[in-house]
Amino acid sequence: MSMLTPPGMGGKKYRITGDRYPRMRRPRHRRRITLMITAAVCALALAGWGTLQLIDVFGGKGGTAQAAQEKKKCPTGGPEQAGAPVSGTDKPLPKPADITVNVFNATARSGLAKSTADELKKRGFKVGKVGNAPPAYDKKVKGTGVLLGAQPAADGAKKVLGTQLAGAEPKADTRKTGDVDLIIGDAFKALAEPAAAQRSLAALTAPSKTKPRC
């Protein structure tokens, strides 16, 4: 009998039969428990975040922030605060009937001052002096014309008169009166078409859109 034979075996030989052997595995139920715990933690986190968002909205924080942003956009003072229409200019523009226009011809073509003055009169303007341009402008105006008047007294009148002659250059002098000189230049062909001039005048005098109340 061999020395390795356990006592009592009587020298008999034994074999291990079968094809199954014990294996070391991690129980599957533990993995499922871990996944369930992780999913529960995520769900609780999302629920808490949603609750905080609802508290912010219904608690007034969101509304306060939005009101602060709108307040920054609202100007202080002036007619905008009352929601009143705002004119495109600082002062009301005069009507054509309130503007006296002196028409002068600075070109070598004759008759332009008279015909232009007649057309302006038809369009509602008051006509003052009519004749040749003064020496400072005679034969020296290359564009369509110059609108010459006091500043700032005649600024509104020059804007209204400018709707009748596209490209006219506004200039100021030291006169104390509110009349305006229309000095016809070399590039002058005719006054703006009545319909186009009327549209320009309407756009100039129309109030802008009403701003929201603050």
Side-chain angles (χ1 to χ4, degrees):
M1 181 171 50
S2 172
M3 295 178 65
L4 300 177
T5 303
M9 291 298 180
K12 295 181 181 181
K13 298 181 180 180
Y14 292 89
R15 290 187 308 172
I16 298 176
T17 61
D19 57 355
R20 295 184 179 180
Y21 301 92
R23 296 182 181 180
M24 300 300 293
R25 286 186 179 180
R26 187 177 180 179
R28 294 184 179 180
H29 66 278
R30 293 184 180 178
R31 186 181 302 173
R32 293 179 181 177
I33 293 174
T34 302
L35 292 176
M36 292 175 63
I37 293 174
T38 303
V41 171
C42 293
L44 289 174
L46 289 175
W49 181 81
T51 302
L52 290 176
Q53 294 298 317
L54 290 175
I55 292 174
D56 288 342
V57 171
F58 292 101
K61 292 183 179 180
T64 303
Q66 184 177 3
Q69 292 294 330
E70 293 179 354
K71 185 175 181 180
K72 290 181 180 179
K73 296 179 181 180
C74 290
T76 56
E80 299 92 340
Q81 193 168 6
V86 180
S87 175
T89 58
D90 294 336
K91 297 180 180 180
L93 294 174
K95 297 179 181 180
D98 298 328
I99 302 174
T100 299
V101 184
N102 305 312
V103 185
F104 299 115
N105 184 10
T107 73
R109 293 174 288 171
S110 61
L112 285 181
K114 178 65 168 60
S115 61
T116 302
D118 292 342
E119 182 62 27
L120 288 174
K121 190 174 182 179
K122 292 179 182 179
R123 299 185 184 189
F125 291 87
K126 289 182 180 179
V127 176
K129 299 177 183 179
V130 179
N132 293 327
Y137 291 95
D138 192 26
K139 310 295 189 301
K140 298 177 183 178
V141 180
K142 302 301 179 183
T144 57
V146 172
L147 303 179
L148 184 64
Q151 189 175 3
D155 280 353
K158 284 186 284 187
K159 289 180 180 179
V160 174
L161 183 57
T163 62
Q164 310 299 311
L165 181 60
E169 179 184 4
K171 288 188 177 183
D173 59 10
T174 58
R175 74 181 70 184
K176 302 300 182 181
T177 58
D179 58 328
V180 180
D181 296 347
L182 170 56
I183 304 175
I184 300 172
D186 293 335
F188 176 84
K189 294 181 180 179
L191 293 175
E193 291 293 330
Q198 188 62 31
R199 287 194 299 269
S200 299
L201 183 59
L204 183 64
T205 57
S208 60
K209 293 182 179 179
T210 302
K211 294 187 178 182
R213 298 176 183 270
C214 299

